[in-house]
Amino acid sequence: MTDIDEVTQLVLRERQGRDRGWWDQMRACYWPDSTVTVSWYRGDGPGFVDGSEAMSGRGDLSVHRLSPPVVQIVADRAFVEVPAAIEVRTEIDGVSADLVSYTRIVYRAGRREGRWGILSLDCVYERDTAQPAVPGTRLAIPPEELAPYRPPYAILARQLARRGYDVNTDLLGDDQPERTAAFYAETLRWLRG
C-alpha cells in the first residue's frame, strides 16, 4: 500500500471501530500521546476510546456517514480531512428523533517506527438538524433552549447536556471563519514542518 492508502485506512478503521464498538481496533489507531477535541470530550486518544466505550454502554450510540477522506502527506506527517454526518437516534423531549451533526473531522497522523498512528482528532462543526423519527410526529425545541449554544452544534450540545455530558462550548465551527482558517493554517504549517 502507498502511504496515502495506509493513512486513509487508518482513519477509516478508527471510525469503524467507534461505530461498531470494536474498541481494541479503535484504540490501536491512536498514539498514546494523541489528543482529541470533540463536543463531549477533550483529552488524549486512549481516553477518548474509553469514553466512547462508556458512552456506548449508556446506550448513546451514533453512526458516522463519511465522505471520501482528503489526505496530504509530507515525510512522516499526514493531514486528513473527512466530511461526516454524525447520525444519532435519540429521544428529544419524549419524541423519538434523528439528530444529525454535520462536521469535518480533521486528523493529524504521524509515522513512528514504520507505522502510522493518529496524533490528533478535531472537529470543525458546520450545522446540525433534528427531525422526528416517526413521520407525522411533532418535534419542537424552544429556541431559548438553543440560545446558550453556538449555531453549528446547538441541537447536538443541548441533547448531550441533557444526557449528562459536559459539552465543550468553544469548538471550531463555521460560524467563526477566522478562527477556523487559523486552525487550518496552523495544521498546514505543522504538516510542512
Side-chain angles (χ1 to χ4, degrees):
M1 278 199 293
T2 67
D3 285 339
I4 287 179
D5 293 331
E6 286 187 35
V7 171
T8 299
Q9 287 302 306
L10 170 70
V11 300
L12 294 177
R13 277 194 316 276
E14 187 271 340
R15 288 290 87 188
Q16 180 188 47
R18 173 74 163 81
D19 287 353
R20 302 290 167 261
W22 298 344
W23 310 117
D24 289 341
Q25 174 177 306
M26 184 182 177
R27 192 171 283 105
C29 295
Y30 285 96
W31 290 119
D33 59 342
S34 57
T35 62
V36 175
T37 304
V38 296
S39 58
W40 61 274
Y41 180 84
R42 178 179 281 175
D44 62 36
F48 176 59
V49 178
D50 294 341
S52 297
E53 186 172 6
M55 179 181 258
S56 176
R58 291 181 54 186
D60 294 326
L61 306 173
S62 62
V63 174
H64 298 75
R65 303 279 175 219
L66 306 178
S67 295
V70 177
V71 179
Q72 296 182 48
I73 296 176
V74 175
D76 291 332
R77 295 180 177 189
F79 158 54
V80 185
E81 182 179 77
V82 184
I86 306 167
E87 300 175 351
V88 182
R89 173 66 56 94
T90 189
E91 188 176 289
I92 298 177
D93 299 336
V95 177
S96 181
D98 289 321
L99 190 159
V100 181
S101 175
Y102 296 94
T103 186
R104 299 185 299 278
I105 304 172
V106 178
Y107 294 92
R108 290 184 188 188
R111 180 170 36 205
R112 297 175 179 173
E113 298 178 7
R115 182 176 79 82
W116 287 98
I118 295 169
L119 294 167
S120 69
L121 181 159
D122 293 275
C123 285
V124 179
Y125 291 86
E126 298 173 350
R127 64 186 175 90
D128 57 9
T129 64
Q131 299 181 65
V134 177
T137 305
R138 188 169 177 335
L139 175 64
I141 300 174
E144 62 272 13
E145 292 185 13
L146 298 177
Y149 307 106
R150 294 201 358 249
Y153 53 91
I155 300 169
L156 175 66
R158 175 188 181 267
Q159 186 62 13
L160 286 169
R162 286 180 161 234
R163 296 284 301 151
Y165 296 95
D166 184 21
V167 179
N168 183 350
T169 57
D170 191 32
L171 297 164
L172 294 166
D174 284 346
D175 64 327
Q176 297 179 346
E178 298 83 9
R179 185 171 167 228
T180 299
F183 165 76
Y184 280 113
E186 195 279 321
T187 300
L188 289 171
R189 278 194 299 275
W190 168 85
L191 176 69
R192 296 178 181 121

